[in-house]
Amino acid sequence: MSRLNRNGARMMIKYNCHGATDVTGFGYLGHAINLVDNQKEVVSFKLHTLPIIAKMDLVNKEVLNFNLMTGYSAETSGGLFCILPKENASKFIEELKELDGQDAWVVGEVVESTNGKRNAYIVDEPTIIHV
């Protein structure tokens, strides 16, 4: 993580965040699973974007597969994983960038569970953002 979470925390309150975690040792998907397991409703998280440290996807592919593309590597770009109402996401991102001077992204969406169980998953061909 390259910045403090103070502004992110303030923006989460302002924009009605109803779940959050920092992405560290469990990896991107591991933290998403922990979040979805603790939602009031039985829903799924469909993750379509992977922000990763620049060129780590090449290292993962060519040197050592450390599960980066499956979402279980701690070698993610870190940061906060926030669950916001869809209609608030773009304003949250815009204001956070004004405050911190760095980008944030919508990385997925909350979708209806198709099997009656909570689930988080990465789509087959996610968008990769090099951070």
Side-chain angles (χ1 to χ4, degrees), residues 2-131:
S2 63
R3 59 185 172 187
L4 297 175
N5 292 330
R6 181 182 309 137
N7 290 331
R10 288 178 178 157
M11 294 301 94
M12 285 189 283
I13 293 167
K14 181 176 180 178
Y15 289 100
N16 197 26
C17 175
H18 51 269
T21 186
D22 61 333
V23 179
T24 54
F26 296 121
Y28 177 71
L29 187 57
H31 283 287
I33 290 169
N34 287 341
L35 277 174
V36 80
D37 282 346
N38 289 287
Q39 296 304 298
K40 288 181 183 178
E41 303 295 327
V42 177
V43 295
S44 292
F45 291 170
K46 177 182 175 181
L47 306 172
H48 53 64
T49 302
L50 291 173
I52 61 172
I53 296 171
K55 301 188 181 186
M56 291 312 309
D57 54 337
L58 297 174
V59 173
N60 184 76
K61 182 178 178 182
E62 302 294 332
V63 180
L64 174 66
N65 181 349
F66 48 91
N67 295 312
L68 179 65
M69 304 312 286
T70 63
Y72 285 108
S73 171
E75 192 63 53
T76 63
S77 61
L80 293 173
F81 191 121
C82 306
I83 305 167
L84 300 165
K86 193 173 193 173
E87 63 272 11
N88 294 353
S90 62
K91 284 293 199 183
F92 175 93
I93 288 170
E94 180 181 316
E95 189 168 346
L96 189 59
K97 183 167 184 165
E98 287 175 15
L99 292 169
D100 284 351
Q102 296 185 18
D103 291 322
W105 310 273
V106 172
V107 298
E109 60 185 313
V110 177
V111 296
E112 185 176 334
S113 174
T114 58
N115 61 4
K117 296 180 182 179
R118 292 173 173 87
N119 186 29
Y121 61 94
I122 299 173
V123 298
D124 289 336
E125 294 186 31
T127 300
I128 304 299
I129 298 176
H130 292 106
V131 179

